[in-house]
């Protein structure tokens, strides 16, 4: 589904942050992306979300060379990707419910077709009592769970999550991991960037380890 070949990335005139990355992310696969702070995990997720272009190398995504995709087609392609940003990026003027429902609304779906799904997912991530509040009122962990629900609601082909359990306690981290695994079982490829060793120890999954700009993969 995604193929990287000799991909390199530098910001401006700075040093190369990612070097010669060659790997595949197969359909329906599940992997952790890890490595020391500053190793480039967020940068790699941004490449996968097509919000950064590589400085060299080739990226194929959904069978297309991303260098030849016109800019105005990128939003359509990104709709096939769910993403949980480290800083959540919820819209402060929309309620929790509206934030989570947004991907479906943008796709032109009728609210009656998704309302119960959104409410069920919000209940699952422990936000059943917070559906009508605005994000500034939510705690860090609640914002994180709302961001996760928004990324999952439209059953993306691939889910990218940047430290998705960074703000929650271990039982909730386990619950969220179960949610990612269930989504994966239903066919979504999952990439979870994390430092959390105890989280990674809970599942046998592929590990992509970034260090000094290089990537090692342990299947
Ligand atoms: N917009 C930017 N402009 C210049 N340098 C950047 C930019 N974003 C990130 N960097 C640099 O790229 C390197 C990798 O950063 P990145 O955030 O991808 O690492 P990370 O592995 O996600 O770190 P962490 O685990 O701390 O979140 C760092 O040295 C960082 O300073």
């Amino acid at each position: 589904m995604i193929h990287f070949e000799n991909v390199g990335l530098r910001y401006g005139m700075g040093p190369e942050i990612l070097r010669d990355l060659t790997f595949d992310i197969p359909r329906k696969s599940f992997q952790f992306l890890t490595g020391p702070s500053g190793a480039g995990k967020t940068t790699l997720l941004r490449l996968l979300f097509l919000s950064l272009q590589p400085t060299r190398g080739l990226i194929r995504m959904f069978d297309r060379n991303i260098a030849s995709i016109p800019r105005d087609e990128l939003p359509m392609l990104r709709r096939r990707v769910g993403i949980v940003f480290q800083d959540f990026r919820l819209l402060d003027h929309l309620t929790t419910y509206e934030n989570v429902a947004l991907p479906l609304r943008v796709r032109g779906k009728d609210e009656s077709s998704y309302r119960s799904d959104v409410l069920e997912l919000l209940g699952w991530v422990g936000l059943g009592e917070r559906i009508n509040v605005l994000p500034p009122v939510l705690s860090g962990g609640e914002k994180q769970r709302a961001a996760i629900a928004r990324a999952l609601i439209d059953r993306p082909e691939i889910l990218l999550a940047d430290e998705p359990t960074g703000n929650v306690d271990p039982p909730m981290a386990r619950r969220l991991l179960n949610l990612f695994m269930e989504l994966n079982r239903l066919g979504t490829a999952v990439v979870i960037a994390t430092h959390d060793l105890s989280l990674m120890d809970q599942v046998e999954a592929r590990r992509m380890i970034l260090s000094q700009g290089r990537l090692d993969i342990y299947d």
Side-chain angles (χ1 to χ4, degrees):
M1 172 161 62
I2 296 177
H3 176 66
F4 273 48
E5 207 166 292
N6 297 321
V7 169
L9 181 114
R10 65 173 81 237
Y11 288 105
M13 301 298 285
E16 220 174 25
I17 305 290
L18 300 175
R19 263 182 274 156
D20 289 320
L21 302 195
T22 297
F23 65 92
D24 286 294
I25 295 189
R27 281 182 196 284
K28 304 181 183 181
S29 59
F30 190 109
Q31 44 261 298
F32 290 111
L33 170 63
T34 190
S37 186
K41 300 181 290 300
T42 301
T43 302
L44 179 50
L45 291 183
R46 291 181 65 201
L47 284 172
L48 291 167
F49 191 56
L50 309 179
S51 60
L52 268 183
Q53 287 276 355
T55 14
R56 62 189 177 87
L58 169 90
I59 300 180
R60 291 187 70 81
M61 191 154 178
F62 305 131
D63 295 324
R64 297 182 64 182
N65 178 345
I66 60 139
S68 60
I69 298 174
R71 284 189 80 79
D72 60 352
E73 283 185 35
L74 289 179
M76 283 298 282
L77 220 57
R78 285 200 191 107
R79 268 180 225 167
R80 299 166 69 178
V81 181
I83 186 157
V84 184
F85 295 101
Q86 224 168 0
D87 56 359
F88 319 129
R89 302 202 196 170
L90 298 170
L91 298 179
D92 283 350
H93 62 288
L94 298 181
T95 65
T96 306
Y97 170 85
E98 289 165 341
N99 265 286
V100 173
L102 194 61
L104 303 169
R105 211 177 89 195
V106 167
R107 279 223 282 135
K109 286 199 167 181
D110 196 80
E111 195 192 356
S112 60
S113 70
Y114 61 70
R115 186 171 169 81
S116 61
D117 291 344
V118 173
L119 292 175
E120 188 184 340
L121 183 56
L122 280 167
W124 225 94
V125 298
L127 291 176
E129 310 281 306
R130 308 295 266 159
I131 56 177
N132 291 319
V133 305
L134 299 176
V137 176
L138 297 175
S139 72
E142 287 173 333
K143 284 183 196 159
Q144 188 157 46
R145 285 178 274 147
I148 290 172
R150 182 183 55 186
L152 302 188
I153 191 68
D154 202 17
R155 291 256 200 104
E157 287 170 59
I158 177 164
L159 175 79
L160 310 171
D162 202 352
E163 294 287 353
T165 57
N167 293 272
V168 298
D169 57 29
M172 181 49 84
R174 173 78 221 179
R175 195 169 167 85
L176 293 175
L177 183 61
N178 285 343
L179 191 61
F180 296 136
M181 287 162 66
E182 176 64 12
L183 185 76
N184 177 244
R185 208 181 54 75
L186 294 171
T188 295
V190 174
V191 182
I192 300 178
T194 186
H195 286 118
D196 186 347
L197 286 174
S198 63
L199 189 77
M200 288 188 276
D201 284 343
Q202 291 178 42
V203 236
E204 285 249 337
R206 195 169 181 233
R207 292 192 190 189
M208 303 170 69
I209 303 181
L210 267 179
S211 176
Q212 300 184 336
R214 310 256 177 205
L215 185 69
D216 289 311
I217 296 186
Y218 299 89
D219 283 302

